Amino acid sequence: MASGVLRDGLYMNVFCRFFLLPLGLFSSSLCGPALGSVFAWTLCPLNVLLIIVDDLRPSLGCYGDKAIRSPNIDQLASRSLLFQNAFAQQAVCAPSRVSFLTGRRPDTTRLYDFNSYWRIHAGNFSTIPQYFKENGYVTMSVGKVFHPGISSNYSDDSPYSWSFPPYHPSSEKYENTKTCRGPDGQLHANLLCPVDVADVPEGTLPDKQSTEQAIRLLEKMKTSASPFFLAVGYHKPHIPFRYPKEFQKLYPLENITLAPDPQVPAGLPPVAYNPWMDIRQREDVQALNLSVPYGPIPVDFQRKIRQSYFASVSYLDTQVGHLLSALDDLQLTNSTIIAFASDHGWALGEHGEWAKYSNFDVATRVPLMFYVPGRTAPLPEAGEELFPYIDPFDSVLESMEPGRRVMDLVELLSLSPTLAGLAGLHVPPRCPVPSFHVQLCREGQNLGKHFQLQDLGEDPHLRGNPRESIAYSQYPRPADYPQWNSDKPSLKDIKVMGYSIRTIDYRYTVWVGFDPREFLANFSDVHAGELYFVDSDPLQDHNMYNDSQGRDLLQSLMP
């Protein structure tokens, strides 16, 4: 965008924030996204609050899981456009985050593990916060946004992506240490780790610190002449399940059900199974003396894992609630887009698995929702709160339905271009093939068309056809059979890549030979296949790849 446009936009933003907003004149009719043009952006650019959660599957009230107490996230959903069928491109932290923050697929970022930095290893690809920064935004990172370490150059991609050094909570360093009080009274490095917050090191937890820091930044930005892009990354419900112990009370063990399909499916190819080795390394799981690779975990411990995952989700919900309530208190909800997403899902015993690391829906499907002031919900009146804090411990919680659901299958990859479009920035162009030499482009769709339906009277002819939507995922393996590094193989050890296509009707995965030196998949070298018909087999337990019905479908897909 031309520097003159940026300069003029900055002047108009000062006018909006310091003159119109105090007078109650900062409204969608003047500055809102309904204008949908560069003029609207230069007049009053919208801020962006991006909330990224680690390992959160759609186990939320707003996604139909009524056993989960997530009233604050549900409240956000009631003011948002919610995507019912959103999928990550690889179900592990670093590759997924680099993918959706750059808008490129793992085969383009060439990151399938944790051990390379895309700007050096693949191409100098721009990120979504970098793009906002280059267009006049103050960009800030709190908590786990990029995966820390070499995959973000040990700097969370600073200084490219952020205006200031990213914030990491000081108590983060205790997450995997011996801070879990066991039945023996000693401290352990356990999977299940409900704690008395007053007794843990520093007397706090990482996500609490991240919320507090994010609120401090919002308070500073309230009087800023520049729009902001604030990304807040929450750790929970990532393992270990280290959360305030009172949240266990929300989920009595006697009420916890097992996964509906806790057995390893008979027709599952061995290459598709992940042996959840990181779970096995925790002291309380080691004490179970489980067989490798297929387990199983004793039923009573399965219930405890599910209890702690759900309790971690409710703890996360309180942090989101405090953050959004502060946005209300600072009168920023009428000028801030809120995007909420997870990097991937997590299996809670489905298919006999207890982790991500696969192409199944439980590992790849994620929550995804966008609040856009004046578009997904009316702008708040003076003194009105859109996101008042709701205590999940309240005995009676009001049921809240999402503002509007989109049933089309979408990819997490679309987060970057969609945020750019909603903020009024130019949406980056589609990437050519190959695109390693192109700094700014996108491989995902801009989901902006779904936000226009309300403006266009919900004309059914303008809706997308869910049967035409497709989501792609992939996962690497070091061998055809489960082994110690099957979950997280290093690049040099990858021998097989599982490419998966999810449509409204089926999930089809083909496991093919892969050359990690050339980053090439050999689709003539098929090691195994999976085919699940979603209508009749929503849990994906019955592999039809070698059945006549499956062969007929696959034949019809051939060019």
Side-chain angles (χ1 to χ4, degrees):
M1 189 171 290
S3 60
V5 173
L6 280 174
R7 183 181 64 250
D8 294 344
L10 181 61
Y11 294 155
M12 289 308 302
N13 193 40
V14 173
F15 178 69
C16 288
R17 293 172 186 274
F18 293 101
F19 292 93
L20 299 184
L21 186 57
L23 295 174
L25 298 176
F26 185 56
S27 69
S28 61
S29 62
L30 181 61
C31 308
L35 289 177
S37 65
V38 172
F39 175 75
W41 184 88
T42 57
L43 186 60
C44 295
L46 290 169
N47 306 309
V48 175
L49 172 60
L50 171 59
I51 301 172
I52 301 171
V53 185
D54 210 345
D55 288 17
L56 178 64
R57 60 195 247 161
S59 290
L60 298 165
C62 54
Y63 277 87
D65 194 333
K66 300 308 180 185
I68 306 301
R69 287 187 166 242
S70 53
N72 294 287
I73 298 173
D74 297 345
Q75 181 172 242
L76 173 62
S78 74
R79 310 270 195 263
S80 300
L81 183 64
L82 180 145
F83 289 86
Q84 186 71 21
N85 294 297
F87 293 88
Q89 277 48 76
Q90 187 177 327
V92 69
C93 301
S96 177
R97 289 167 185 257
V98 169
S99 173
F100 70 71
L101 288 168
T102 62
R104 317 278 185 120
R105 300 185 187 280
D107 276 349
T108 303
T109 66
R110 291 180 167 175
L111 181 67
Y112 312 108
D113 56 13
F114 299 80
N115 305 322
S116 65
Y117 182 41
W118 78 91
R119 293 187 189 273
I120 296 173
H121 197 64
N124 187 28
F125 309 144
S126 292
T127 68
I128 187 63
Q130 177 183 355
Y131 186 53
F132 274 79
K133 180 183 175 184
E134 292 169 350
N135 278 278
Y137 279 70
V138 176
T139 57
M140 302 165 287
S141 173
V142 171
K144 186 179 178 181
V145 178
F146 283 98
H147 190 86
I150 193 172
S151 63
S152 57
N153 203 32
Y154 297 101
S155 67
D156 294 324
D157 196 45
S158 292
Y160 297 100
S161 289
W162 311 111
S163 303
F164 307 106
Y167 170 85
H168 284 279
S170 58
S171 63
E172 194 175 82
K173 59 181 173 287
Y174 304 109
E175 276 293 281
N176 292 298
T177 61
K178 295 178 182 288
T179 59
C180 315
R181 187 77 60 184
D184 58 1
Q186 302 300 309
L187 294 177
H188 298 275
N190 284 345
L191 172 65
L192 310 181
C193 192
V195 298
D196 185 335
V197 175
D199 290 342
V200 300
E202 300 187 26
T204 189
L205 294 173
D207 287 345
K208 292 171 67 70
Q209 287 186 290
S210 291
T211 299
E212 292 161 0
Q213 174 66 9
I215 292 173
R216 285 191 288 267
L217 292 175
L218 289 174
E219 290 170 346
K220 290 182 180 180
M221 293 308 300
K222 176 177 170 59
T223 56
S224 172
S226 300
F228 65 80
F229 180 106
L230 172 60
V232 181
Y234 286 115
H235 282 266
K236 296 304 124 186
H238 192 287
I239 63 170
F241 300 125
R242 188 167 172 261
Y243 58 91
K245 63 182 181 181
E246 58 267 24
F247 284 88
Q248 275 189 323
K249 299 175 183 176
L250 295 174
Y251 303 97
L253 269 178
E254 59 269 23
N255 295 343
I256 301 296
T257 60
L258 300 178
D261 54 345
Q263 306 299 324
V264 178
L268 184 70
V271 70
Y273 184 79
N274 79 80
W276 33 279
M277 297 303 293
D278 52 357
I279 298 293
R280 298 173 188 274
Q281 295 167 8
R282 311 290 164 164
E283 290 183 32
D284 50 351
V285 178
Q286 286 180 346
L288 299 174
N289 195 27
L290 303 174
S291 63
V292 180
Y294 292 108
I297 292 178
V299 167
D300 61 338
F301 202 84
Q302 291 187 37
R303 295 186 196 278
K304 290 179 180 178
I305 295 177
R306 289 169 67 88
Q307 177 196 44
S308 277
Y309 184 93
F310 300 149
S312 297
V313 171
S314 290
Y315 164 55
L316 158 76
D317 181 79
T318 63
Q319 300 310 302
V320 173
H322 288 307
L323 178 59
L324 297 184
S325 178
L327 201 71
D328 257 340
D329 294 342
L330 294 167
Q331 298 181 340
L332 289 169
T333 49
N334 58 358
S335 57
T336 303
I337 296 167
I338 305 169
F340 180 93
S342 168
D343 53 359
H344 43 70
W346 211 80
L348 283 169
E350 294 87 357
H351 312 113
E353 296 180 326
W354 296 91
K356 46 255 190 181
Y357 314 133
S358 82
N359 284 315
F360 284 119
D361 279 14
V362 289
T364 56
R365 185 167 167 247
V366 297
L368 179 64
M369 64 188 80
F370 298 85
Y371 160 77
V372 186
R375 179 167 291 186
T376 62
L379 288 169
E381 301 291 336
E384 179 188 2
E385 292 184 327
L386 281 187
F387 303 112
Y389 178 77
I390 304 173
D391 189 342
F393 289 90
D394 286 349
S395 57
V396 178
L397 292 175
E398 179 185 350
S399 178
M400 285 175 282
E401 294 297 321
R404 188 161 60 85
R405 296 179 190 268
V406 174
M407 302 307 294
D408 290 21
L409 278 74
V410 301
E411 298 177 301
L412 202 49
L413 194 69
S414 294
L415 181 66
S416 291
T418 302
L419 278 178
L422 291 174
L425 302 181
H426 174 71
V427 176
R430 282 280 197 173
C431 290
V433 180
S435 65
F436 299 108
H437 62 291
V438 181
Q439 181 174 343
L440 180 65
C441 66
R442 61 183 171 93
E443 293 181 353
Q445 294 184 11
N446 173 15
L447 304 178
K449 66 178 183 180
H450 297 288
F451 295 84
Q452 299 170 5
L453 296 179
Q454 286 182 327
D455 302 335
L456 297 171
E458 296 285 354
D459 184 342
H461 297 291
L462 296 173
R463 290 184 180 275
N465 181 355
R467 296 193 179 281
E468 296 177 355
S469 57
I470 297 175
Y472 298 91
S473 304
Q474 62 188 98
Y475 209 86
R477 294 282 190 240
D480 286 335
Y481 289 86
Q483 59 185 44
W484 66 272
N485 62 340
S486 287
D487 295 343
K488 295 181 287 188
S490 297
L491 174 64
K492 64 181 177 60
D493 297 323
I494 297 172
K495 301 293 189 297
V496 187
M497 187 70 74
Y499 289 95
S500 194
I501 299 173
R502 177 64 156 85
T503 75
I504 203 72
D505 296 314
Y506 60 85
R507 176 174 286 285
Y508 170 49
T509 304
V510 60
W511 297 89
V512 300
F514 186 82
D515 182 347
R517 293 164 299 183
E518 301 294 330
F519 301 96
L520 286 178
N522 182 359
F523 284 90
S524 63
D525 178 22
V526 177
H527 291 227
E530 299 170 80
L531 178 63
Y532 306 99
F533 292 101
V534 176
D535 281 345
S536 59
D537 183 23
L539 301 178
Q540 299 166 15
D541 289 320
H542 304 287
N543 184 7
M544 305 294 288
Y545 180 78
N546 291 316
D547 287 31
S548 58
Q549 184 182 3
R551 287 195 295 269
D552 289 344
L553 173 63
L554 296 178
Q555 187 65 36
S556 71
L557 298 176
M558 297 296 178

